[in-house]
Amino acid sequence: MDPAREVIEVSKVGIIGAGVSGIAAAKQLSHHDPVVFEASDCIGGVWKHCSYETTRLQSLRCDYEFSDFPWEDRDNASFPSNIEILNYLEAYAKHFDVLKFVKFNTRVVEIRHVGDHKITACDDSGKYRNLLPGYPVWEVAVRDLLGNIKWHAFEFLVMCIGKYGDVPKMPTFPSGKGPEMYNGKVLHAIEYSKLDKGAATQLLKGKKVVVVGYKKSAIDLAMECALANQGQDGKPCTMIVRTLHWIVPHYSVWGLPFYLFYSTRFSQFFHERPNQSFLKSLLHPLLSPLRRGVSKFIESYLLWTMPLDKYGLRPDHGFEEDYASCQMAILPEGFFHEANEGRIIFRRPSKWWFYEGGVEFDDGTRVEADVVALATGYDGKKKIKSILPEPFRSLLDVPAGVMPLYRGMIHPLIPNAAFVGYLESVSNLHSAELGCKWLSRLLGGRFELPGVEEMMEQTMKEVEISKRTTRFYKRHCISTYSINHDDEICEEMGWSRWRKGSWLSEVFSPYTSMDYQKDITNKQDKKEE
């Protein structure tokens, strides 16, 4: 072996990233003494590096907690801040002694496959290969703060770098109309999130700011801009909104808790799901009026409680499309008050570009700006392609645009590897934890994966369902059939269904997918102990 690539440590399992998914994986795989590489100096992932001062969780505490580690104040109805979430994750990691596995300030710069020359996930008989073969399959190069490169070797690799953060998605512009023409400051939301409170306020206060985007990060950033510009000397913040999404002021609709509409077994029965019975397939078209009725019911409340029509912010698609693609955003308190006061202004151009003094729209109008903040999202595919070697890198460029991951974790054509944190649901923490429990038992040989064709078929079923449900299907979200997804994972692990009361009481009670997962996993974990 080339001395420059001398492997200094050989381990069974390597984990890249110490965000929510990474620490969940480390806890569930702790009996393998995993090595966790984290590029920063702390755990938390996007909650540490992509959050603003005012960013809050979009779920209640009780819906965003590990099954064996409840929040101390889990009945607190307020949405926790990013600091509270980081404290919770830190307490979880310390409680289960996960931090001992983490190598901080070690950035992965290269990954190499060193398994057999026939790079395939299956053997000649079509059976999936042993995930822990007893010898290294991957080599990982990491760089420390001093620039030193060290190599590690693993039998199995868990990618927990996620889809958000690190690699910003940047808009493109016509020649001569990009940021180079602009005399002010341009920054992406990820750069803004790294500023402390004082620097962020200084950047926004008394400045003409343009925020590009209309998802959660853009809405939060516009709110911070409005709060920094109170008083007579304050300047308005202009939001450039191109793709509209439904926004929600709180988790109540006409006095009813929101989870009743999408997160119980009864409510999810009306939605299409993979592997449904023949009878359910026949019923599905007949149930479509009820699904649309639920969506219209929620839309009526949102239009009544928020001035969406006043500001031209009513989407042209149904609420269900945003929920089914995990794009529903919780509105910061006071957002439309700031708009009514003139501190947030909305513009809806088809196209826009830079000029020397700010931004220009396709109708010829202009907005002067001192700062242009691009809340335009992140390029998760480019992020993972930057470290994944060929020929596996090319496997990410699929026609459907969604990385085919069986159970949201295993790529059928990439051997001895898992991807955690790419599947989205009502609670990404919940999905990550249950997925890591599944992965731990898979590596422990308690069950076997199906063949490549069967796994590909399952992932394609999920993609086709998403395509029929929402135009935003590329996010790989399972929110409308999350309970069925949990059921199938539990059954694959050999866990029997455990009902909370009678079958009818479970179906019609406010028994959410998070409740089900916590109950059944806690019961099963105690049984296995």
Side-chain angles (χ1 to χ4, degrees), residues 137-195:
V137 175
W138 298 97
E139 289 181 355
V140 178
V142 296
R143 182 175 58 225
D144 61 22
L145 291 177
L146 299 177
N148 300 315
I149 303 292
K150 296 180 181 179
W151 287 86
H152 299 253
F154 302 100
E155 297 178 37
F156 193 86
L157 200 57
V158 187
M159 309 277 193
C160 298
I161 60 176
K163 297 190 289 187
Y164 306 109
D166 294 333
V167 181
K169 184 181 293 183
M170 305 296 289
T172 57
F173 303 95
S175 178
K177 296 184 178 181
E180 71 280 358
M181 296 294 297
Y182 175 51
N183 294 327
K185 182 175 181 58
V186 181
L187 76 164
H188 190 272
I190 191 173
E191 298 173 77
Y192 176 84
S193 66
K194 298 182 186 304
L195 301 175

Side-chain angles (χ1 to χ4, degrees), residues 50-89:
C50 299
S51 298
Y52 313 149
E53 184 73 21
T54 58
T55 298
R56 291 187 172 272
L57 182 67
Q58 297 200 88
S59 303
L60 298 175
R61 286 169 169 80
C62 58
D63 290 338
Y64 194 86
E65 64 182 6
F66 293 103
S67 61
D68 51 4
F69 194 76
W71 288 77
E72 291 185 359
D73 55 344
R74 72 186 307 270
D75 294 327
N76 185 337
S78 66
F79 296 110
S81 67
N82 67 314
I83 300 300
E84 291 176 285
I85 295 168
L86 287 172
N87 290 338
Y88 170 75
L89 296 175

Side-chain angles (χ1 to χ4, degrees), residues 60 93 102 157 214 244 383 513:
L60 298 175
V102 184
L157 200 57
Y214 190 61
L244 289 173
K383 181 178 178 180
S513 59

